[in-house]
Amino acid sequence: MTQTVLIPRLETARLILRAPRVEEFEAYCTLVASDRAAHMFQLDRPAAWKEFAAELGHWPLFGYGPWHVERRSDGALVGAVSILNHDTYPETEIGWHLYEGHEGHGYAFEAATAARDWAFTERGLPTLVSYISPGNTRSIALAERLGATLDRDAPGEDASDLVYRHARPAERAAQ
């Protein structure tokens, strides 16, 4: 029996957040095998496939998961944003990555804003965090730009993680 899972398509002024495609695995595999993944995880091809598939499995299990981020103007794959709750995560995380050459354009901020707002409004999630390695200054800056604050009391996936807590829309409006 085949199960169809609908992954919502989100659109912003410049981006489309859509379902990942199997042919995009090569770009993901290249990313997670490179030095660019030093603050996430570096994986060989078999482990990359398992992670790619496990993240997609979030959609039927939880009703949220990864989106691939496409630039509207030309269809280029610029990165991904995900709402994930792996078994080792103390809380549900919003995470992001960009592919080489797509930094510095605000794509991660735009995509993460859309995903975060969708998770709170459409899924009604009570909280979202981002687990960030202390040396990942670009992700820390993005989390802070998104309005997330460092929660020193929250456990991370890893003991060294910084945990940035994202405010719900009503909380952001009150700030």
Side-chain angles (χ1 to χ4, degrees):
M1 174 164 71
T2 301
Q3 180 177 350
T4 301
V5 176
L6 296 178
I7 298 174
R9 178 182 170 108
L10 307 180
E11 296 191 18
T12 69
R14 300 179 301 155
L15 304 172
I16 297 168
L17 284 66
R18 55 152 177 83
R21 298 176 184 147
V22 70
E23 61 269 18
E24 295 163 339
F25 172 67
E26 289 303 325
Y28 178 81
C29 192
T30 299
L31 170 76
V32 299
S34 75
D35 290 341
R36 292 179 59 78
H39 294 295
M40 300 179 348
F41 41 70
Q42 290 179 296
L43 304 173
D44 63 13
R45 187 177 185 86
W49 176 254
K50 289 175 186 172
E51 185 70 18
F52 187 83
E55 288 184 1
L56 279 170
H58 277 70
W59 285 107
L61 293 172
F62 298 108
Y64 50 79
W67 288 274
H68 279 188
V69 180
E70 178 180 301
R71 192 168 46 213
R72 290 171 68 121
S73 63
D74 62 2
L77 178 66
V78 301
V81 63
S82 303
I83 309 293
L84 300 174
N85 194 359
H86 285 301
D87 182 54
T88 58
Y89 289 6
E91 297 183 66
T92 304
E93 181 193 36
I94 180 169
W96 46 78
H97 68 260
L98 292 176
Y99 292 110
E100 191 166 349
H102 298 291
E103 307 89 344
H105 301 284
Y107 298 144
F109 176 78
E110 193 171 325
T113 298
R116 177 202 61 203
D117 293 351
W118 176 89
F120 283 137
T121 59
E122 299 300 317
R123 278 287 164 255
L125 294 180
T127 187
L128 278 175
V129 297
S130 292
Y131 300 119
I132 304 176
S133 296
N136 193 345
T137 56
R138 294 184 84 156
S139 276
I140 291 168
L142 177 56
E144 291 173 350
R145 185 172 174 216
L146 287 162
T149 56
L150 183 60
D151 184 344
R152 295 184 190 281
D153 297 325
E157 177 193 20
D158 182 281
S160 66
D161 285 340
L162 299 175
V163 179
Y164 277 83
R165 187 163 304 283
H166 296 268
R168 296 180 56 76
E171 295 164 347
R172 287 194 310 273
Q175 293 175 346

